Amino acid sequence: MAVAERVSTDPGAILKLLADPTRLRILALLEREELAVGELSRALGMAQSRVSNHLRLIREAGLLGERHAGTKTFLHLPLEAGPGLAGRLWAELRGELDGLPEHAADLVRLERVLAEREGQGSFFDRYAGEWDKRAGGFATGLGRERALTHLLPDGLVVADLGCGTGYLAQALLGQAARLICVDASEPMLAEAERRLGRNGDARATEVEFRQGDLDALPISDAEVDGALAGMVLHHLPAPDAALAEMRRILKPGGSAVVLELLPHRETWMRDALGDRHLGLEPSDVVAAFQRAGLEQVTLDPVSDRYQPERPEEHGGGAADLGLYLVRGRRPRVRTSSHARSNR
Ligand SMILES: C[S@@+](CC[C@H](N)C(=O)[O-])C[C@H]1O[C@@H](n2cnc3c(N)ncnc32)[C@H](O)[C@@H]1O
């Protein structure tokens, strides 16, 4: 269908659409770059659910171009092709956005999203099928058990963030009432789906898979009782945005649990396992929990060890790395200093 036919001609609807600052930011990003919804959410630093609502309105007004490639949908702005009212108004407005701090921040995040499209995201996409073999295992599995006891009692809604191939999620089957598995990599999610489908007890636990970023989770405010991020924070540039998101998706009183690696010197893990940081200082993670407004923060050593296989050129054999758990709760009463982060 031609673009001109799709653009709404109702001036009231167009003015209403363009009167919203978030929608202007979305249009500005999509004019610059064709993006998947998850990428757009990350560039905006917003939850995907919130962005999707705006996209629905933009689509209804006929201002959204979509291109389907396999299972993915890429969004773009078709306005430049149309001389209609929306196109003319946008031509006037777009120049005004350049000075806005929100738009400048969007552009910084956009650069990161595009860099990750080439690098980090595709790393896990490439190795999803062989991830379990490549990443090796835990000495005893007790680290996993300890992480999960923090998410008791039974019958909760739990999010496994950066679920990978579903190693942690698997142990929640039959215990959680609902399990929401989130990962940036579609192929990793597909592996998780295979694993959980194989071992699942569908009657006891409802399992959902959602593609998305830890910085902009595809989960609504206060949707879950427990949020778990296992072996994933060391893949992020910094943990703050992810922890703010964990707090946002938790119900008041809900628990956030992080399983992480102690700092180590296994530099080959950068290339072989995509690790951005060689472990994280526990005190830094505790401080990040506190900055996110999580309370009753506890640091818990784990006697389990993480033991991935070194490649031959790095000496072979299993590495032997320490683990720890950090847990915090979302306060039951909303505090004013963090009220704004509860989007
Ligand atoms: C080391 S695996 C951990 C998997 C699982 N949690 C476990 O403990 O076995 C890290 C996972 O985090 C995902 N990941 C990395 N960065 C991410 C991000 N920014 N948002 C969402 N997922 C991310 C990767 O795709 C990968 O599947």
Side-chain angles (χ1 to χ4, degrees):
M1 195 189 293
V3 167
E5 281 175 63
R6 283 187 287 161
V7 174
S8 168
T9 50
D10 174 355
I14 291 170
L15 286 172
K16 198 166 164 205
L17 189 86
L18 296 177
D20 183 276
T22 302
R23 289 198 282 275
L24 291 178
R25 287 166 60 197
I26 290 175
L27 293 172
L29 286 172
L30 292 182
E31 183 179 61
R32 190 174 279 258
E33 197 67 47
E34 189 185 55
L35 295 169
V37 183
E39 293 175 330
L40 177 63
S41 307
R42 280 152 54 204
L44 292 161
M46 277 178 200
Q48 200 161 311
S49 53
R50 190 172 159 204
V51 175
S52 295
N53 283 337
H54 287 294
L55 286 174
R56 183 174 49 75
L57 296 172
I58 296 172
R59 187 180 291 108
E60 279 169 13
L63 302 180
L64 197 65
E66 291 174 276
R67 181 173 66 85
H68 302 282
T71 56
K72 287 204 161 189
T73 300
F74 290 96
L75 310 171
H76 61 269
L77 191 64
L79 283 179
E80 70 282 3
L85 177 61
R88 296 201 306 279
L89 282 175
W90 174 246
E92 286 295 320
L93 286 169
R94 60 148 80 92
E96 304 298 321
L97 287 180
D98 285 345
L100 290 183
E102 291 89 346
H103 182 54
D106 289 348
L107 294 182
V108 172
R109 280 188 294 260
L110 176 66
E111 239 172 74
R112 205 180 85 209
V113 167
L114 295 176
E116 284 173 3
R117 187 192 272 178
E118 299 304 321
Q120 179 87 344
S122 60
F123 177 89
F124 288 104
D125 291 357
R126 213 163 40 242
Y127 294 116
E130 57 180 272
W131 179 259
D132 289 342
K133 195 158 151 261
R134 183 171 259 265
F138 294 86
T140 62
L142 289 175
R144 172 173 78 173
E145 304 309 326
R146 287 288 288 280
L148 302 180
T149 57
H150 287 319
L151 297 169
L152 294 171
D154 292 1
L156 302 179
V157 180
V158 177
D160 181 6
L161 307 172
C163 65
T165 58
Y167 170 79
L168 291 170
Q170 184 183 341
L172 283 159
L173 287 177
Q175 177 185 313
R178 187 151 70 94
L179 190 53
I180 305 172
C181 299
V182 177
D183 204 281
S185 161
E186 257 183 8
M188 290 295 260
L189 275 179
E191 289 296 321
E193 208 165 342
R194 249 195 293 279
R195 182 199 291 251
L196 299 183
R198 226 176 22 235
N199 299 309
D201 179 352
R203 286 162 307 169
T205 302
E206 182 192 331
V207 188
E208 282 177 55
F209 300 90
R210 302 185 190 173
Q211 190 189 11
D213 200 285
L214 264 80
D215 292 4
L217 289 170
I219 296 180
S220 306
D221 294 357
E223 188 174 345
V224 304
D225 302 287
L228 174 67
M231 311 286 281
V232 63
L233 291 191
H234 62 259
H235 290 287
L236 308 181
D240 290 81
L243 284 169
E245 278 292 87
M246 285 171 84
R247 180 186 187 278
R248 178 185 67 76
I249 64 168
L250 284 172
K251 293 177 186 158
S255 292
V257 179
V258 161
L259 175 65
E260 254 312 324
L261 285 174
L262 285 166
H264 61 84
R265 291 165 187 241
E266 304 287 339
T267 50
W268 59 271
M269 286 172 67
R270 289 191 205 281
D271 289 336
L273 301 180
D275 290 9
R276 191 183 287 254
H277 303 286
L278 298 179
L280 294 173
E281 270 306 334
S283 58
D284 290 346
V285 177
V286 167
F289 264 64
Q290 287 162 342
R291 281 197 298 279
L294 293 159
E295 63 179 25
Q296 298 174 38
V297 181
T298 55
L299 169 64
D300 203 0
V302 177
S303 59
D304 201 1
R305 313 285 299 175
Y306 180 54
Q307 300 186 316
E309 282 292 322
R310 284 189 202 89
E312 282 310 317
E313 69 266 29
H314 293 278
D320 188 30
L321 307 175
L323 295 160
Y324 60 93
L325 284 164
V326 179
R327 175 169 62 144
R329 281 188 189 279
R330 178 172 177 168
R332 286 189 188 279
V333 180
R334 197 164 138 165
T335 54
S336 56
S337 60
H338 289 96
R340 285 177 35 155
S341 67
N342 183 16
R343 296 180 307 219

